[in-house]
Amino acid sequence: MQPQKTATSQATHGASAPPPRNLYTLKKFAERNYGFLTLSAITNQVFKAQPRHSSKGEIPGNGMLDFGVIVRSGRTVLIDEVAYFHWLDAQQEVAK
């Protein structure tokens, strides 16, 4: 037997609600994309997402924050799978 939807749940989960996001920890995301991405590679990409300073000046971030790829919940870092692949596609367009 399926749960019945109430008017409140239909209003909050109706057609106007965005679809749920596919969020994964770094480890789970690397496991899902095994063969193409390692845990150390995704950790490195997350580290390079924020602008940072070096002896030669400021190094800009890689754009993951702009695409909403990284979601932080306390100390937990999550990756939005759909946003990650949009970001990856954009990286390929810039390289052309």
Side-chain angles (χ1 to χ4, degrees), residues 5-17:
K5 293 184 180 180
T6 63
T8 306
S9 67
Q10 288 176 347
T12 57
H13 300 300
S16 63

Side-chain angles (χ1 to χ4, degrees), residues 6 9 11 13 18-19 29 38 41-42 44-45 50 52 54 60-62 64 68 72 82 89 91 93 96:
T6 63
S9 67
H13 300 300
F29 187 73
T38 63
I42 190 66
N44 187 31
Q45 290 174 342
Q50 295 186 9
R52 55 207 182 280
S54 76
N62 60 15
M64 289 178 102
R72 295 182 191 270
V82 173
D89 290 341
Q91 299 300 309
E93 292 172 9
K96 289 182 182 180

Side-chain angles (χ1 to χ4, degrees), residues 36-59:
F36 139 76
L37 190 66
T38 63
L39 178 58
S40 60
I42 190 66
T43 303
N44 187 31
Q45 290 174 342
V46 169
F47 174 76
K48 292 182 177 180
Q50 295 186 9
R52 55 207 182 280
H53 298 284
S54 76
S55 60
K56 296 181 181 181
E58 178 137 347
I59 300 171

Side-chain angles (χ1 to χ4, degrees), residues 45 61-67 69 83-96:
Q45 290 174 342
N62 60 15
M64 289 178 102
L65 297 176
D66 298 333
F67 278 82
V69 174
Y84 179 84
F85 287 109
H86 285 291
W87 170 77
L88 191 62
D89 290 341
Q91 299 300 309
Q92 300 306 311
E93 292 172 9
V94 170
K96 289 182 182 180

